[in-house]
Structure formats: structure tokens, C-alpha cells
PDB file of all heavy atoms in Angstrom:
ATOM      1  N   LEU A   4       0.825  -1.144  -0.027  1.00  0.00           N
ATOM      2  CA  LEU A   4      -0.014   0.006  -0.025  1.00  0.00           C
ATOM      3  C   LEU A   4       0.884   1.232   0.017  1.00  0.00           C
ATOM      4  O   LEU A   4       1.722   1.352   0.892  1.00  0.00           O
ATOM      5  CB  LEU A   4      -0.894   0.015   1.254  1.00  0.00           C
ATOM      6  CG  LEU A   4      -1.798   1.144   1.429  1.00  0.00           C
ATOM      7  CD1 LEU A   4      -2.763   1.352   0.342  1.00  0.00           C
ATOM      8  CD2 LEU A   4      -2.536   1.074   2.807  1.00  0.00           C
ATOM      9  N   ASP A   5       0.689   2.086  -1.012  1.00  0.00           N
ATOM     10  CA  ASP A   5       1.411   3.406  -1.064  1.00  0.00           C
ATOM     11  C   ASP A   5       0.713   4.341  -0.047  1.00  0.00           C
ATOM     12  O   ASP A   5      -0.292   4.857  -0.444  1.00  0.00           O
ATOM     13  CB  ASP A   5       1.451   3.868  -2.502  1.00  0.00           C
ATOM     14  CG  ASP A   5       2.161   5.148  -2.578  1.00  0.00           C
ATOM     15  OD1 ASP A   5       2.315   5.887  -1.647  1.00  0.00           O
ATOM     16  OD2 ASP A   5       2.613   5.437  -3.757  1.00  0.00           O
ATOM     17  N   VAL A   6       1.254   4.428   1.080  1.00  0.00           N
ATOM     18  CA  VAL A   6       0.601   5.329   2.142  1.00  0.00           C
ATOM     19  C   VAL A   6       0.532   6.820   1.750  1.00  0.00           C
ATOM     20  O   VAL A   6      -0.312   7.511   2.257  1.00  0.00           O
ATOM     21  CB  VAL A   6       1.247   5.147   3.544  1.00  0.00           C
ATOM     22  CG1 VAL A   6       1.045   3.699   4.045  1.00  0.00           C
ATOM     23  CG2 VAL A   6       2.703   5.503   3.537  1.00  0.00           C
ATOM     24  N   LEU A   7       1.410   7.244   0.932  1.00  0.00           N
ATOM     25  CA  LEU A   7       1.260   8.691   0.457  1.00  0.00           C
ATOM     26  C   LEU A   7       0.103   8.856  -0.480  1.00  0.00           C
ATOM     27  O   LEU A   7      -0.620   9.807  -0.409  1.00  0.00           O
ATOM     28  CB  LEU A   7       2.681   9.150  -0.126  1.00  0.00           C
ATOM     29  CG  LEU A   7       3.815   9.219   0.868  1.00  0.00           C
ATOM     30  CD1 LEU A   7       5.066   9.623   0.137  1.00  0.00           C
ATOM     31  CD2 LEU A   7       3.528  10.203   2.034  1.00  0.00           C
ATOM     32  N   ALA A   8       0.033   7.948  -1.386  1.00  0.00           N
ATOM     33  CA  ALA A   8      -1.040   8.023  -2.465  1.00  0.00           C
ATOM     34  C   ALA A   8      -2.362   7.660  -1.838  1.00  0.00           C
ATOM     35  O   ALA A   8      -3.405   8.074  -2.409  1.00  0.00           O
ATOM     36  CB  ALA A   8      -0.707   7.160  -3.668  1.00  0.00           C
ATOM     37  N   GLU A   9      -2.381   6.771  -0.840  1.00  0.00           N
ATOM     38  CA  GLU A   9      -3.622   6.237  -0.284  1.00  0.00           C
ATOM     39  C   GLU A   9      -3.741   6.572   1.183  1.00  0.00           C
ATOM     40  O   GLU A   9      -4.008   5.672   1.992  1.00  0.00           O
ATOM     41  CB  GLU A   9      -3.668   4.731  -0.524  1.00  0.00           C
ATOM     42  CG  GLU A   9      -3.539   4.288  -1.933  1.00  0.00           C
ATOM     43  CD  GLU A   9      -4.897   4.621  -2.708  1.00  0.00           C
ATOM     44  OE1 GLU A   9      -5.959   4.862  -2.132  1.00  0.00           O
ATOM     45  OE2 GLU A   9      -4.785   4.619  -3.977  1.00  0.00           O
ATOM     46  N   GLN A  10      -3.521   7.768   1.595  1.00  0.00           N
ATOM     47  CA  GLN A  10      -3.538   8.119   2.996  1.00  0.00           C
ATOM     48  C   GLN A  10      -4.838   7.790   3.738  1.00  0.00           C
ATOM     49  O   GLN A  10      -4.785   7.169   4.793  1.00  0.00           O
ATOM     50  CB  GLN A  10      -3.180   9.613   3.218  1.00  0.00           C
ATOM     51  CG  GLN A  10      -1.741   9.871   2.949  1.00  0.00           C
ATOM     52  CD  GLN A  10      -1.381  11.396   3.240  1.00  0.00           C
ATOM     53  OE1 GLN A  10      -2.273  12.201   3.718  1.00  0.00           O
ATOM     54  NE2 GLN A  10      -0.195  11.766   2.935  1.00  0.00           N
ATOM     55  N   PRO A  11      -5.920   8.082   3.194  1.00  0.00           N
ATOM     56  CA  PRO A  11      -7.212   7.802   3.919  1.00  0.00           C
ATOM     57  C   PRO A  11      -7.375   6.249   4.136  1.00  0.00           C
ATOM     58  O   PRO A  11      -7.768   5.822   5.147  1.00  0.00           O
ATOM     59  CB  PRO A  11      -8.380   8.288   3.010  1.00  0.00           C
ATOM     60  CG  PRO A  11      -7.639   9.329   2.199  1.00  0.00           C
ATOM     61  CD  PRO A  11      -6.277   8.888   1.940  1.00  0.00           C
ATOM     62  N   LEU A  12      -7.063   5.544   3.152  1.00  0.00           N
ATOM     63  CA  LEU A  12      -7.058   4.013   3.254  1.00  0.00           C
ATOM     64  C   LEU A  12      -6.081   3.467   4.358  1.00  0.00           C
ATOM     65  O   LEU A  12      -6.447   2.717   5.203  1.00  0.00           O
ATOM     66  CB  LEU A  12      -6.858   3.335   1.890  1.00  0.00           C
ATOM     67  CG  LEU A  12      -6.775   1.791   1.874  1.00  0.00           C
ATOM     68  CD1 LEU A  12      -8.194   1.230   2.362  1.00  0.00           C
ATOM     69  CD2 LEU A  12      -6.465   1.350   0.566  1.00  0.00           C
ATOM     70  N   ALA A  13      -4.903   3.991   4.222  1.00  0.00           N
ATOM     71  CA  ALA A  13      -3.791   3.571   5.191  1.00  0.00           C
ATOM     72  C   ALA A  13      -4.218   3.941   6.655  1.00  0.00           C
ATOM     73  O   ALA A  13      -4.124   3.075   7.563  1.00  0.00           O
ATOM     74  CB  ALA A  13      -2.497   4.157   4.848  1.00  0.00           C
ATOM     75  N   ARG A  14      -4.670   5.120   6.845  1.00  0.00           N
ATOM     76  CA  ARG A  14      -5.065   5.512   8.183  1.00  0.00           C
ATOM     77  C   ARG A  14      -6.331   4.819   8.667  1.00  0.00           C
ATOM     78  O   ARG A  14      -6.438   4.474   9.788  1.00  0.00           O
ATOM     79  CB  ARG A  14      -5.329   7.143   8.240  1.00  0.00           C
ATOM     80  CG  ARG A  14      -4.092   7.852   7.838  1.00  0.00           C
ATOM     81  CD  ARG A  14      -3.380   8.546   8.958  1.00  0.00           C
ATOM     82  NE  ARG A  14      -2.325   9.306   8.440  1.00  0.00           N
ATOM     83  CZ  ARG A  14      -1.125   9.222   8.947  1.00  0.00           C
ATOM     84  NH1 ARG A  14      -0.840   8.450   9.924  1.00  0.00           N
ATOM     85  NH2 ARG A  14      -0.163   9.982   8.510  1.00  0.00           N
ATOM     86  N   GLY A  15      -7.299   4.643   7.772  1.00  0.00           N
ATOM     87  CA  GLY A  15      -8.503   3.897   8.103  1.00  0.00           C
ATOM     88  C   GLY A  15      -8.184   2.460   8.442  1.00  0.00           C
ATOM     89  O   GLY A  15      -8.796   1.879   9.421  1.00  0.00           O
ATOM     90  N   LEU A  16      -7.310   1.808   7.780  1.00  0.00           N
ATOM     91  CA  LEU A  16      -6.884   0.425   7.975  1.00  0.00           C
ATOM     92  C   LEU A  16      -6.281   0.318   9.412  1.00  0.00           C
ATOM     93  O   LEU A  16      -6.653  -0.555  10.191  1.00  0.00           O
ATOM     94  CB  LEU A  16      -5.926  -0.089   6.963  1.00  0.00           C
ATOM     95  CG  LEU A  16      -5.409  -1.478   7.050  1.00  0.00           C
ATOM     96  CD1 LEU A  16      -6.606  -2.523   7.126  1.00  0.00           C
ATOM     97  CD2 LEU A  16      -4.382  -1.837   6.058  1.00  0.00           C
ATOM     98  N   THR A  17      -5.264   1.135   9.713  1.00  0.00           N
ATOM     99  CA  THR A  17      -4.654   1.023  10.994  1.00  0.00           C
ATOM    100  C   THR A  17      -5.582   1.385  12.165  1.00  0.00           C
ATOM    101  O   THR A  17      -5.569   0.876  13.247  1.00  0.00           O
ATOM    102  CB  THR A  17      -3.351   1.813  11.077  1.00  0.00           C
ATOM    103  OG1 THR A  17      -3.595   3.169  10.731  1.00  0.00           O
ATOM    104  CG2 THR A  17      -2.319   1.286  10.154  1.00  0.00           C
ATOM    105  N   ALA A  18      -6.532   2.348  11.854  1.00  0.00           N
ATOM    106  CA  ALA A  18      -7.467   2.677  12.877  1.00  0.00           C
ATOM    107  C   ALA A  18      -8.470   1.573  13.173  1.00  0.00           C
ATOM    108  O   ALA A  18      -8.726   1.206  14.372  1.00  0.00           O
ATOM    109  CB  ALA A  18      -8.302   3.963  12.469  1.00  0.00           C
ATOM    110  N   ALA A  19      -8.886   0.918  12.106  1.00  0.00           N
ATOM    111  CA  ALA A  19      -9.869  -0.197  12.233  1.00  0.00           C
ATOM    112  C   ALA A  19      -9.123  -1.329  12.979  1.00  0.00           C
ATOM    113  O   ALA A  19      -9.815  -2.150  13.654  1.00  0.00           O
ATOM    114  CB  ALA A  19     -10.303  -0.657  10.896  1.00  0.00           C
ATOM    115  N   LEU A  20      -7.900  -1.471  12.835  1.00  0.00           N
ATOM    116  CA  LEU A  20      -7.147  -2.581  13.432  1.00  0.00           C
ATOM    117  C   LEU A  20      -6.647  -2.261  14.747  1.00  0.00           C
ATOM    118  O   LEU A  20      -6.031  -3.157  15.470  1.00  0.00           O
ATOM    119  CB  LEU A  20      -6.011  -3.049  12.504  1.00  0.00           C
ATOM    120  CG  LEU A  20      -6.366  -3.555  11.163  1.00  0.00           C
ATOM    121  CD1 LEU A  20      -5.157  -3.816  10.261  1.00  0.00           C
ATOM    122  CD2 LEU A  20      -7.123  -4.948  11.380  1.00  0.00           C
ATOM    123  N   ASP A  21      -6.718  -0.999  15.169  1.00  0.00           N
ATOM    124  CA  ASP A  21      -6.252  -0.487  16.446  1.00  0.00           C
ATOM    125  C   ASP A  21      -4.687  -0.698  16.488  1.00  0.00           C
ATOM    126  O   ASP A  21      -4.169  -1.162  17.509  1.00  0.00           O
ATOM    127  CB  ASP A  21      -6.933  -1.137  17.641  1.00  0.00           C
ATOM    128  CG  ASP A  21      -6.648  -0.350  18.890  1.00  0.00           C
ATOM    129  OD1 ASP A  21      -6.508   0.889  18.780  1.00  0.00           O
ATOM    130  OD2 ASP A  21      -6.720  -1.019  19.995  1.00  0.00           O
ATOM    131  N   VAL A  22      -4.061  -0.370  15.458  1.00  0.00           N
ATOM    132  CA  VAL A  22      -2.561  -0.399  15.312  1.00  0.00           C
ATOM    133  C   VAL A  22      -2.055   0.968  14.958  1.00  0.00           C
ATOM    134  O   VAL A  22      -2.631   1.647  14.130  1.00  0.00           O
ATOM    135  CB  VAL A  22      -2.188  -1.445  14.215  1.00  0.00           C
ATOM    136  CG1 VAL A  22      -0.677  -1.398  13.974  1.00  0.00           C
ATOM    137  CG2 VAL A  22      -2.633  -2.806  14.536  1.00  0.00           C
ATOM    138  N   LYS A  23      -1.048   1.410  15.661  1.00  0.00           N
ATOM    139  CA  LYS A  23      -0.416   2.615  15.338  1.00  0.00           C
ATOM    140  C   LYS A  23       0.121   2.695  13.947  1.00  0.00           C
ATOM    141  O   LYS A  23       0.809   1.746  13.542  1.00  0.00           O
ATOM    142  CB  LYS A  23       0.695   3.021  16.323  1.00  0.00           C
ATOM    143  CG  LYS A  23       1.416   4.350  16.062  1.00  0.00           C
ATOM    144  CD  LYS A  23       2.485   4.559  17.079  1.00  0.00           C
ATOM    145  CE  LYS A  23       3.273   5.762  16.719  1.00  0.00           C
ATOM    146  NZ  LYS A  23       4.562   5.928  17.514  1.00  0.00           N
ATOM    147  N   HIS A  24      -0.166   3.755  13.157  1.00  0.00           N
ATOM    148  CA  HIS A  24       0.376   3.814  11.821  1.00  0.00           C
ATOM    149  C   HIS A  24       1.817   4.153  11.783  1.00  0.00           C
ATOM    150  O   HIS A  24       2.270   5.083  12.508  1.00  0.00           O
ATOM    151  CB  HIS A  24      -0.384   4.889  10.986  1.00  0.00           C
ATOM    152  CG  HIS A  24       0.220   5.141   9.642  1.00  0.00           C
ATOM    153  ND1 HIS A  24      -0.536   5.313   8.514  1.00  0.00           N
ATOM    154  CD2 HIS A  24       1.472   5.381   9.270  1.00  0.00           C
ATOM    155  CE1 HIS A  24       0.285   5.482   7.478  1.00  0.00           C
ATOM    156  NE2 HIS A  24       1.503   5.515   8.001  1.00  0.00           N
ATOM    157  N   GLU A  25       2.619   3.313  11.195  1.00  0.00           N
ATOM    158  CA  GLU A  25       4.096   3.556  11.069  1.00  0.00           C
ATOM    159  C   GLU A  25       4.474   3.257   9.668  1.00  0.00           C
ATOM    160  O   GLU A  25       3.834   2.489   8.921  1.00  0.00           O
ATOM    161  CB  GLU A  25       4.821   2.766  12.011  1.00  0.00           C
ATOM    162  CG  GLU A  25       4.476   3.014  13.494  1.00  0.00           C
ATOM    163  CD  GLU A  25       5.312   2.349  14.486  1.00  0.00           C
ATOM    164  OE1 GLU A  25       6.524   2.786  14.649  1.00  0.00           O
ATOM    165  OE2 GLU A  25       4.853   1.345  15.128  1.00  0.00           O
ATOM    166  N   SER A  26       5.567   3.786   9.208  1.00  0.00           N
ATOM    167  CA  SER A  26       6.030   3.467   7.870  1.00  0.00           C
ATOM    168  C   SER A  26       7.511   3.450   7.902  1.00  0.00           C
ATOM    169  O   SER A  26       8.186   4.317   8.300  1.00  0.00           O
ATOM    170  CB  SER A  26       5.472   4.587   6.890  1.00  0.00           C
ATOM    171  OG  SER A  26       5.750   4.233   5.629  1.00  0.00           O
ATOM    172  N   PRO A  27       8.019   2.323   7.410  1.00  0.00           N
ATOM    173  CA  PRO A  27       7.460   1.108   6.847  1.00  0.00           C
ATOM    174  C   PRO A  27       6.750   0.285   7.935  1.00  0.00           C
ATOM    175  O   PRO A  27       7.171   0.347   9.100  1.00  0.00           O
ATOM    176  CB  PRO A  27       8.524   0.351   6.230  1.00  0.00           C
ATOM    177  CG  PRO A  27       9.823   0.789   7.015  1.00  0.00           C
ATOM    178  CD  PRO A  27       9.529   2.119   7.430  1.00  0.00           C
ATOM    179  N   GLN A  28       5.798  -0.493   7.442  1.00  0.00           N
ATOM    180  CA  GLN A  28       5.048  -1.340   8.376  1.00  0.00           C
ATOM    181  C   GLN A  28       4.595  -2.641   7.712  1.00  0.00           C
ATOM    182  O   GLN A  28       4.203  -2.644   6.531  1.00  0.00           O
ATOM    183  CB  GLN A  28       3.892  -0.586   8.906  1.00  0.00           C
ATOM    184  CG  GLN A  28       2.975  -1.272   9.950  1.00  0.00           C
ATOM    185  CD  GLN A  28       1.993  -0.261  10.528  1.00  0.00           C
ATOM    186  OE1 GLN A  28       1.512   0.661   9.831  1.00  0.00           O
ATOM    187  NE2 GLN A  28       1.656  -0.478  11.834  1.00  0.00           N
ATOM    188  N   VAL A  29       4.639  -3.720   8.406  1.00  0.00           N
ATOM    189  CA  VAL A  29       4.109  -4.990   7.860  1.00  0.00           C
ATOM    190  C   VAL A  29       2.871  -5.428   8.774  1.00  0.00           C
ATOM    191  O   VAL A  29       2.996  -5.442  10.052  1.00  0.00           O
ATOM    192  CB  VAL A  29       5.195  -6.125   7.905  1.00  0.00           C
ATOM    193  CG1 VAL A  29       4.640  -7.448   7.480  1.00  0.00           C
ATOM    194  CG2 VAL A  29       6.343  -5.732   6.888  1.00  0.00           C
ATOM    195  N   LEU A  30       1.865  -5.799   8.094  1.00  0.00           N
ATOM    196  CA  LEU A  30       0.648  -6.418   8.837  1.00  0.00           C
ATOM    197  C   LEU A  30       0.438  -7.765   8.279  1.00  0.00           C
ATOM    198  O   LEU A  30       0.278  -7.941   7.048  1.00  0.00           O
ATOM    199  CB  LEU A  30      -0.552  -5.496   8.531  1.00  0.00           C
ATOM    200  CG  LEU A  30      -0.468  -4.085   8.928  1.00  0.00           C
ATOM    201  CD1 LEU A  30      -1.710  -3.294   8.401  1.00  0.00           C
ATOM    202  CD2 LEU A  30      -0.310  -3.820  10.414  1.00  0.00           C
ATOM    203  N   LEU A  31       0.468  -8.784   9.173  1.00  0.00           N
ATOM    204  CA  LEU A  31       0.268 -10.223   8.744  1.00  0.00           C
ATOM    205  C   LEU A  31      -1.073 -10.642   9.201  1.00  0.00           C
ATOM    206  O   LEU A  31      -1.446 -10.606  10.391  1.00  0.00           O
ATOM    207  CB  LEU A  31       1.362 -11.046   9.321  1.00  0.00           C
ATOM    208  CG  LEU A  31       1.291 -12.546   9.059  1.00  0.00           C
ATOM    209  CD1 LEU A  31       1.394 -12.834   7.513  1.00  0.00           C
ATOM    210  CD2 LEU A  31       2.367 -13.301   9.799  1.00  0.00           C
ATOM    211  N   PHE A  32      -1.860 -11.110   8.206  1.00  0.00           N
ATOM    212  CA  PHE A  32      -3.242 -11.571   8.475  1.00  0.00           C
ATOM    213  C   PHE A  32      -3.318 -13.071   8.227  1.00  0.00           C
ATOM    214  O   PHE A  32      -2.622 -13.604   7.447  1.00  0.00           O
ATOM    215  CB  PHE A  32      -4.251 -10.923   7.572  1.00  0.00           C
ATOM    216  CG  PHE A  32      -4.314  -9.426   7.727  1.00  0.00           C
ATOM    217  CD1 PHE A  32      -3.532  -8.636   7.108  1.00  0.00           C
ATOM    218  CD2 PHE A  32      -5.289  -8.896   8.570  1.00  0.00           C
ATOM    219  CE1 PHE A  32      -3.589  -7.216   7.214  1.00  0.00           C
ATOM    220  CE2 PHE A  32      -5.429  -7.529   8.885  1.00  0.00           C
ATOM    221  CZ  PHE A  32      -4.565  -6.695   8.049  1.00  0.00           C
ATOM    222  N   GLU A  33      -4.140 -13.775   9.116  1.00  0.00           N
ATOM    223  CA  GLU A  33      -4.425 -15.143   8.867  1.00  0.00           C
ATOM    224  C   GLU A  33      -5.975 -15.283   9.127  1.00  0.00           C
ATOM    225  O   GLU A  33      -6.501 -14.888  10.148  1.00  0.00           O
ATOM    226  CB  GLU A  33      -3.754 -16.032   9.966  1.00  0.00           C
ATOM    227  CG  GLU A  33      -3.926 -17.523   9.671  1.00  0.00           C
ATOM    228  CD  GLU A  33      -3.075 -18.305  10.479  1.00  0.00           C
ATOM    229  OE1 GLU A  33      -2.472 -17.923  11.514  1.00  0.00           O
ATOM    230  OE2 GLU A  33      -3.007 -19.549  10.240  1.00  0.00           O
ATOM    231  N   GLY A  34      -6.587 -15.836   8.058  1.00  0.00           N
ATOM    232  CA  GLY A  34      -8.125 -15.929   8.157  1.00  0.00           C
ATOM    233  C   GLY A  34      -8.790 -14.653   8.401  1.00  0.00           C
ATOM    234  O   GLY A  34      -9.801 -14.621   9.070  1.00  0.00           O
ATOM    235  N   GLY A  35      -8.251 -13.620   7.836  1.00  0.00           N
ATOM    236  CA  GLY A  35      -8.867 -12.268   7.974  1.00  0.00           C
ATOM    237  C   GLY A  35      -8.476 -11.505   9.236  1.00  0.00           C
ATOM    238  O   GLY A  35      -9.018 -10.447   9.449  1.00  0.00           O
ATOM    239  N   GLU A  36      -7.836 -12.226  10.131  1.00  0.00           N
ATOM    240  CA  GLU A  36      -7.480 -11.566  11.422  1.00  0.00           C
ATOM    241  C   GLU A  36      -6.057 -11.132  11.457  1.00  0.00           C
ATOM    242  O   GLU A  36      -5.151 -11.835  10.957  1.00  0.00           O
ATOM    243  CB  GLU A  36      -7.720 -12.616  12.609  1.00  0.00           C
ATOM    244  CG  GLU A  36      -9.079 -13.065  12.711  1.00  0.00           C
ATOM    245  CD  GLU A  36     -10.040 -11.974  13.276  1.00  0.00           C
ATOM    246  OE1 GLU A  36      -9.584 -11.201  14.152  1.00  0.00           O
ATOM    247  OE2 GLU A  36     -11.196 -11.956  12.854  1.00  0.00           O
ATOM    248  N   LEU A  37      -5.785  -9.952  11.988  1.00  0.00           N
ATOM    249  CA  LEU A  37      -4.387  -9.507  12.254  1.00  0.00           C
ATOM    250  C   LEU A  37      -3.751 -10.421  13.232  1.00  0.00           C
ATOM    251  O   LEU A  37      -4.210 -10.440  14.335  1.00  0.00           O
ATOM    252  CB  LEU A  37      -4.369  -8.058  12.651  1.00  0.00           C
ATOM    253  CG  LEU A  37      -2.954  -7.422  12.877  1.00  0.00           C
ATOM    254  CD1 LEU A  37      -2.187  -7.373  11.550  1.00  0.00           C
ATOM    255  CD2 LEU A  37      -3.105  -6.033  13.412  1.00  0.00           C
ATOM    256  N   VAL A  38      -2.618 -11.024  12.871  1.00  0.00           N
ATOM    257  CA  VAL A  38      -1.950 -11.904  13.816  1.00  0.00           C
ATOM    258  C   VAL A  38      -0.482 -11.467  14.166  1.00  0.00           C
ATOM    259  O   VAL A  38       0.060 -11.919  15.140  1.00  0.00           O
ATOM    260  CB  VAL A  38      -1.863 -13.384  13.279  1.00  0.00           C
ATOM    261  CG1 VAL A  38      -3.270 -13.961  13.112  1.00  0.00           C
ATOM    262  CG2 VAL A  38      -1.181 -13.387  11.939  1.00  0.00           C
ATOM    263  N   TRP A  39       0.009 -10.423  13.448  1.00  0.00           N
ATOM    264  CA  TRP A  39       1.392  -9.941  13.688  1.00  0.00           C
ATOM    265  C   TRP A  39       1.567  -8.658  12.914  1.00  0.00           C
ATOM    266  O   TRP A  39       1.046  -8.473  11.855  1.00  0.00           O
ATOM    267  CB  TRP A  39       2.397 -10.976  13.318  1.00  0.00           C
ATOM    268  CG  TRP A  39       3.854 -10.590  13.575  1.00  0.00           C
ATOM    269  CD1 TRP A  39       4.483 -10.517  14.735  1.00  0.00           C
ATOM    270  CD2 TRP A  39       4.822 -10.181  12.565  1.00  0.00           C
ATOM    271  NE1 TRP A  39       5.821 -10.109  14.558  1.00  0.00           N
ATOM    272  CE2 TRP A  39       5.970  -9.867  13.152  1.00  0.00           C
ATOM    273  CE3 TRP A  39       4.698 -10.004  11.166  1.00  0.00           C
ATOM    274  CZ2 TRP A  39       7.110  -9.490  12.563  1.00  0.00           C
ATOM    275  CZ3 TRP A  39       5.833  -9.629  10.498  1.00  0.00           C
ATOM    276  CH2 TRP A  39       7.025  -9.354  11.165  1.00  0.00           C
ATOM    277  N   HIS A  40       2.274  -7.715  13.539  1.00  0.00           N
ATOM    278  CA  HIS A  40       2.694  -6.508  12.792  1.00  0.00           C
ATOM    279  C   HIS A  40       4.021  -6.058  13.312  1.00  0.00           C
ATOM    280  O   HIS A  40       4.480  -6.415  14.408  1.00  0.00           O
ATOM    281  CB  HIS A  40       1.634  -5.431  12.972  1.00  0.00           C
ATOM    282  CG  HIS A  40       1.387  -4.883  14.328  1.00  0.00           C
ATOM    283  ND1 HIS A  40       2.030  -3.890  14.899  1.00  0.00           N
ATOM    284  CD2 HIS A  40       0.547  -5.379  15.340  1.00  0.00           C
ATOM    285  CE1 HIS A  40       1.628  -3.683  16.080  1.00  0.00           C
ATOM    286  NE2 HIS A  40       0.782  -4.522  16.364  1.00  0.00           N
ATOM    287  N   ALA A  41       4.810  -5.467  12.417  1.00  0.00           N
ATOM    288  CA  ALA A  41       6.065  -4.919  12.779  1.00  0.00           C
ATOM    289  C   ALA A  41       6.351  -3.651  11.997  1.00  0.00           C
ATOM    290  O   ALA A  41       5.684  -3.399  10.973  1.00  0.00           O
ATOM    291  CB  ALA A  41       7.136  -5.924  12.493  1.00  0.00           C
ATOM    292  N   SER A  42       7.252  -2.780  12.441  1.00  0.00           N
ATOM    293  CA  SER A  42       7.600  -1.595  11.775  1.00  0.00           C
ATOM    294  C   SER A  42       9.114  -1.396  11.828  1.00  0.00           C
ATOM    295  O   SER A  42       9.799  -2.003  12.616  1.00  0.00           O
ATOM    296  CB  SER A  42       6.911  -0.416  12.292  1.00  0.00           C
ATOM    297  OG  SER A  42       7.292  -0.124  13.588  1.00  0.00           O
ATOM    298  N   HIS A  43       9.553  -0.575  10.955  1.00  0.00           N
ATOM    299  CA  HIS A  43      11.005  -0.160  10.875  1.00  0.00           C
ATOM    300  C   HIS A  43      11.996  -1.326  10.928  1.00  0.00           C
ATOM    301  O   HIS A  43      11.886  -2.229  10.162  1.00  0.00           O
ATOM    302  CB  HIS A  43      11.200   0.921  11.973  1.00  0.00           C
ATOM    303  CG  HIS A  43      10.359   2.119  11.731  1.00  0.00           C
ATOM    304  ND1 HIS A  43       9.160   2.272  12.228  1.00  0.00           N
ATOM    305  CD2 HIS A  43      10.611   3.280  11.053  1.00  0.00           C
ATOM    306  CE1 HIS A  43       8.574   3.409  11.886  1.00  0.00           C
ATOM    307  NE2 HIS A  43       9.528   4.068  11.120  1.00  0.00           N
ATOM    308  N   GLN A  44      12.890  -1.292  11.910  1.00  0.00           N
ATOM    309  CA  GLN A  44      13.936  -2.305  11.945  1.00  0.00           C
ATOM    310  C   GLN A  44      13.531  -3.644  12.454  1.00  0.00           C
ATOM    311  O   GLN A  44      14.264  -4.605  12.207  1.00  0.00           O
ATOM    312  CB  GLN A  44      15.103  -1.827  12.948  1.00  0.00           C
ATOM    313  CG  GLN A  44      16.004  -0.639  12.367  1.00  0.00           C
ATOM    314  CD  GLN A  44      15.275   0.707  12.479  1.00  0.00           C
ATOM    315  OE1 GLN A  44      14.293   0.850  13.228  1.00  0.00           O
ATOM    316  NE2 GLN A  44      15.818   1.679  11.673  1.00  0.00           N
ATOM    317  N   ALA A  45      12.294  -3.727  12.894  1.00  0.00           N
ATOM    318  CA  ALA A  45      11.741  -5.037  13.259  1.00  0.00           C
ATOM    319  C   ALA A  45      11.263  -5.783  12.111  1.00  0.00           C
ATOM    320  O   ALA A  45      10.985  -6.979  12.167  1.00  0.00           O
ATOM    321  CB  ALA A  45      10.603  -4.828  14.287  1.00  0.00           C
ATOM    322  N   ILE A  46      11.224  -5.203  10.967  1.00  0.00           N
ATOM    323  CA  ILE A  46      10.846  -5.859   9.663  1.00  0.00           C
ATOM    324  C   ILE A  46      12.106  -6.497   9.056  1.00  0.00           C
ATOM    325  O   ILE A  46      12.942  -5.781   8.521  1.00  0.00           O
ATOM    326  CB  ILE A  46      10.272  -4.911   8.694  1.00  0.00           C
ATOM    327  CG1 ILE A  46       8.971  -4.184   9.268  1.00  0.00           C
ATOM    328  CG2 ILE A  46       9.860  -5.606   7.375  1.00  0.00           C
ATOM    329  CD1 ILE A  46       8.520  -3.101   8.387  1.00  0.00           C
TER     330      ILE A  46
END
């Protein structure tokens, strides 16, 4: 997701998931559920 081009989508996604928006960021889903996320050097 290009967070600069898709700011509303990116902010809405992290808000809906109750995850702080960071960039870069990885969100891992399993069965439609967020199971892990990481940002910056943790990626």
C-alpha cells in the first residue's frame, strides 16, 4: 500500500485494526485476522 497516495485508506486500516500507523510497516493476517505486525528495523 502506497501510504502517500492512499492516506485515507492507510489511516483507516490502522485505525480499524487499532494499530499505530508507522512506515514502513508490515501487517500479517491469517483468516482475515491481524496476527502480527512490525515496523522499521523489526521488519
